[in-house]
Amino acid sequence: MTINRISPAEAHSKMTNEGYTYVDVRTPEEFAEGRPAGSINIPLGDDFVQATLAKFQKDARIVVGCKAGGRSLRAANALVAAGFTNVLDQRAGFDAARGPFGEVTEPGWSRAGLPQDAG
């Protein structure tokens, strides 16, 4: 199954209007520095799928995000492989997607000015 990748604005809309929960897969230290408003932290690691299963049913509406989009795509793929059915990946993460020279190619959640919970 192909993971549907959405923009930060689309992720915010899904959370606000359709009951999606933002699962931030960054480290606890990264999460503590700032995060999407209302998000929860389940760091991507060996027990990620089990930790997610402890909090959500497999039909839960989940948007997965990280710092720039790489970890969240891996996490979304892991959840879908485990049988989760409503998983979206938020492109560009909390900061931004970047090109080969470090330039911002797509602003992330914080750069898009979307609601945040401070550290």
Side-chain angles (χ1 to χ4, degrees):
M1 177 177 164
T2 302
I3 303 296
N4 189 10
R5 302 193 83 198
I6 61 175
S7 72
E10 290 169 316
H12 180 254
S13 176
K14 293 280 188 187
M15 293 168 65
T16 303
N17 300 315
E18 297 179 40
Y20 276 77
T21 300
Y22 191 106
V23 174
D24 191 319
V25 301
R26 296 177 298 157
T27 65
E29 295 78 17
E30 289 172 302
F31 187 75
E33 291 173 2
R35 59 204 165 266
S39 62
I40 67 163
N41 186 219
I42 305 177
L44 183 60
D46 293 340
D47 62 346
F48 172 73
V49 171
Q50 285 306 113
T52 305
L53 280 167
K55 294 186 181 290
F56 296 99
Q57 297 294 316
K58 287 186 176 183
D59 64 349
R61 296 176 175 190
I62 298 172
V63 173
V64 184
C66 61
K67 181 178 179 180
R71 284 177 282 181
S72 63
L73 182 57
R74 289 193 307 274
N77 278 313
L79 293 177
V80 168
F84 282 81
T85 58
N86 292 306
V87 177
L88 302 170
D89 176 44
Q90 190 231 283
R91 298 187 313 264
F94 187 68
D95 180 36
R98 296 183 181 273
F101 300 104
E103 73 278 13
V104 171
T105 58
E106 181 176 8
W109 186 282
S110 63
R111 292 175 185 266
L114 296 168
Q116 299 176 42
D117 290 334

